Amino acid sequence: MQVGLPKEIKTDEFRVGLTPGAVREYSSAGHRVLVETEAGLGIGADDDTYRKAGATIAKSASEVFETADMIVKVKEPQPSERRMLRRGQILFTYLHLAPDPEQTKDLLSSGCTAIAYETITDTNGGLPLLAPMSEVAGRLSIEAAGAALRRHGGGKGLLLGGVPGVLPANVVIFGGGVVGSNAARIAAGMGARVVVLDTSLPRLRFLDDVYCGRVRTRYPTKDAVEEELERADVVVGAVLVPGATAPKIITRNSLKLLKAGSVIVDVAIDQGGFAETSKPTTHSEPTYVVDRVVHYCVANMPGAVPLTSSHALNNATLPFGLAIANDGLAGIAKNVHLLAGLNVHAGRVTCKPVADSLGLPFVAPNDALRLAA
């Protein structure tokens, strides 16, 4: 199979879909890899490094899209990239379609096969391709909160961990999954007072055992949510419904419970955000203020640390990408975890949470593959 790697063009995105090491693995398996020139500069990998790994260097993104059977990316294809997709071509990347009807419409019109990293599953019911970026984003969320809390960042001028004789910040985390647990780890390590709210009692028990009381846990009843918001200096949105639009935990009305200069870090912004006042921002302009509350809603947080993120992502995506390259659509059809990642195929939506979120017809993945055969 001819595998194509275009350079990421989303604002402030420096990650790469295939590291040189991953290219070598594809090449060793007998696949041809076409890499757009300078695609790896964000991680310090130049064209010669990719050539040594077995890649051919393309002069432009259009050359990659025109010739590749499978496109491997990091972020969702931008409008100019979506116009280059074609019927029968496989797109393997993060998509986050539920809050993005325009992208979904374009993918359906292209006739391509779009496989989303974020909905691929594993034998434990986890999301193995989402997990590494969730780990990065969870840890970065506390760094971002600390910067936004500073006076020149728009915050109240509070140090997360405090100092002797001065209380630390109160950090409230909604969601105890991969993002939430990593955010809790960093916040607690910095000395903040941390509480995690989650609807899963087993998950709360796990966090309680792991952190031995350094992180408090609560079930998110309405009373509990209001009480924690009133105390919070930082609120981290780490909620996730796989494939679907994120639930709105913080309404515009509940924003008034937060103190002036408090900070919201909405890690769920890729899926539409957990706060009604959230809107996507960039690393260049990461924050804005609504009702005296600082909002940090960068939609590609791990892009700030592309070297770490790209290698962590490729470690997870490599076996799935090779399975697709080795067997094509047949490899998807026989792999239940790749089937879970199939979001669009030949003009049909094949991920039920996406279809439900956008009010579109749903066709089961295997049925879609059979109908288009």
Side-chain angles (χ1 to χ4, degrees):
M1 181 178 283
Q2 176 115 318
V3 178
L5 174 67
K7 185 177 182 179
E8 296 294 324
I9 60 173
K10 185 166 184 173
T11 304
D12 297 330
E13 182 53 69
F14 302 103
R15 288 173 289 180
V16 64
L18 294 173
T19 62
V23 168
R24 185 179 179 187
E25 296 296 330
Y26 276 87
S27 298
S28 297
H31 304 292
R32 303 178 304 279
V33 184
L34 186 63
V35 176
E36 182 183 353
T37 184
E38 299 186 347
L41 291 186
I43 64 167
D46 60 17
D47 290 350
D48 283 340
T49 303
Y50 276 100
R51 287 192 185 95
K52 291 175 183 176
T56 300
I57 303 302
K59 294 180 180 179
S60 65
S62 60
E63 184 181 346
V64 174
F65 278 87
E66 284 171 9
T67 58
D69 304 304
M70 177 168 76
I71 300 292
V72 180
K73 283 177 46 58
V74 178
K75 291 303 293 179
E76 71 280 356
Q78 301 303 291
S80 63
E81 296 174 311
R82 300 199 293 266
R83 288 192 288 271
M84 293 187 283
L85 291 168
R86 64 179 188 275
R87 189 173 187 83
Q89 193 170 50
I90 298 172
L91 173 65
F92 189 42
T93 188
Y94 287 115
L95 291 174
H96 302 290
L97 293 179
D100 195 345
E102 288 303 314
Q103 183 195 175
T104 306
K105 177 184 176 182
D106 289 348
L107 294 182
L108 291 170
S109 298
S110 75
C112 77
T113 297
I115 303 168
Y117 293 162
E118 71 270 13
T119 60
I120 288 176
T121 56
D122 60 21
T123 53
N124 299 316
L127 302 170
L129 275 61
L130 186 61
M133 296 304 93
S134 295
E135 291 167 343
V136 173
R139 298 179 185 207
L140 283 176
S141 69
I142 302 305
E143 291 186 19
L149 271 178
R150 297 169 189 165
R151 193 66 185 175
H152 69 270
K156 60 178 63 177
L158 184 65
L159 184 64
L160 269 175
V163 292
V166 181
L167 290 174
N170 291 307
V171 176
V172 178
I173 302 169
F174 286 92
V178 179
V179 171
S181 60
N182 276 271
R185 174 180 178 176
I186 300 302
M190 293 180 71
R193 297 194 296 186
V194 184
V195 60
V196 176
L197 295 96
D198 199 291
T199 56
S200 169
L201 291 177
R203 189 63 185 173
L204 295 181
R205 291 189 184 101
F206 170 79
L207 293 172
D208 189 67
D209 288 341
V210 166
Y211 292 108
C212 301
R214 290 189 301 135
V215 171
R216 296 181 296 119
T217 59
R218 292 195 75 175
Y219 189 87
T221 62
K222 288 182 174 58
D223 283 346
V225 169
E226 290 177 359
E227 288 169 6
E228 295 302 335
L229 289 179
E230 288 175 345
R231 279 194 283 261
D233 300 301
V234 171
V235 181
V236 177
V239 296
L240 174 68
V241 179
T245 304
K248 295 293 185 285
I249 306 298
I250 297 183
T251 64
R252 180 61 185 262
N253 189 52
S254 63
L255 200 66
K256 65 185 181 184
L257 297 172
L258 292 168
K259 294 169 283 191
S262 298
V263 174
I264 290 175
V265 180
D266 198 339
V267 187
I269 193 64
D270 271 334
Q271 294 295 136
F274 88 120
E276 286 185 349
T277 48
S278 291
K279 60 183 180 181
T281 60
T282 65
H283 289 291
S284 299
E285 297 183 44
T287 63
Y288 60 93
V289 177
V290 178
D291 293 346
R292 302 182 302 167
V293 175
V294 181
H295 290 57
Y296 179 99
C297 304
V298 175
N300 60 330
M301 290 177 64
V305 287
L307 188 58
T308 297
S309 298
S310 295
H311 285 285
L313 178 60
N314 276 250
N315 290 343
T317 59
L318 182 60
F320 292 96
L322 283 173
I324 299 168
N326 290 339
D327 298 317
L329 296 183
I332 300 171
K334 68 183 182 183
N335 186 319
V336 64
H337 304 304
L338 282 174
L339 280 175
L342 188 63
N343 278 211
V344 171
H345 177 65
R348 299 177 175 91
V349 177
T350 54
C351 177
K352 195 171 190 309
V354 170
D356 291 345
S357 295
L358 296 175
L360 295 171
F362 165 71
V363 180
N366 264 328
D367 290 342
L369 290 169
R370 187 185 70 254
L371 289 168

